[in-house]
Amino acid sequence: MENFSEIFEVMIQDHGRNPRNFGELEGATHAAEGANPLTGDHFKIQFQVDDNRIIAAKFTGNASSLATTSASVMTN
């Protein structure tokens, strides 16, 4: 059985290569945008909220593999 660090590494690689929820969210009700000038990472995240619950989330932007993985996992 794989140990935690191996599983974590596989997950990072998978989300980095195949990010989930990447793209514009049609019908978004909320959005936020941010950038890290030190790394050049830049993201926009959009949410669709109904009755105080997030029902959909997507992100766009350009960033490192690790930052893209974070956004992918966060919106998954």
Side-chain angles (χ1 to χ4, degrees):
M1 181 173 185
E2 295 178 287
N3 66 36
F4 179 76
S5 63
E6 290 170 336
I7 293 169
F8 187 68
E9 185 177 334
V10 168
M11 183 188 75
I12 288 172
Q13 290 173 355
D14 183 41
H15 277 268
R17 290 183 188 128
N18 305 298
R20 280 45 155 205
N21 302 309
F22 186 83
E24 294 287 331
L25 179 60
E26 199 169 310
T29 57
H30 297 74
E33 195 166 350
N36 183 338
L38 297 175
T39 63
D41 295 342
H42 179 261
F43 281 114
K44 177 180 179 183
I45 186 164
Q46 298 172 301
F47 298 98
Q48 190 173 27
V49 178
D50 184 32
D51 197 25
N52 291 321
R53 297 179 80 187
I54 297 171
I55 58 173
K58 284 193 165 193
F59 71 99
T60 57
N62 296 306
S64 68
S65 180
L66 190 55
T68 299
T69 297
S70 295
S72 178
V73 170
M74 177 179 64
T75 59
N76 200 18

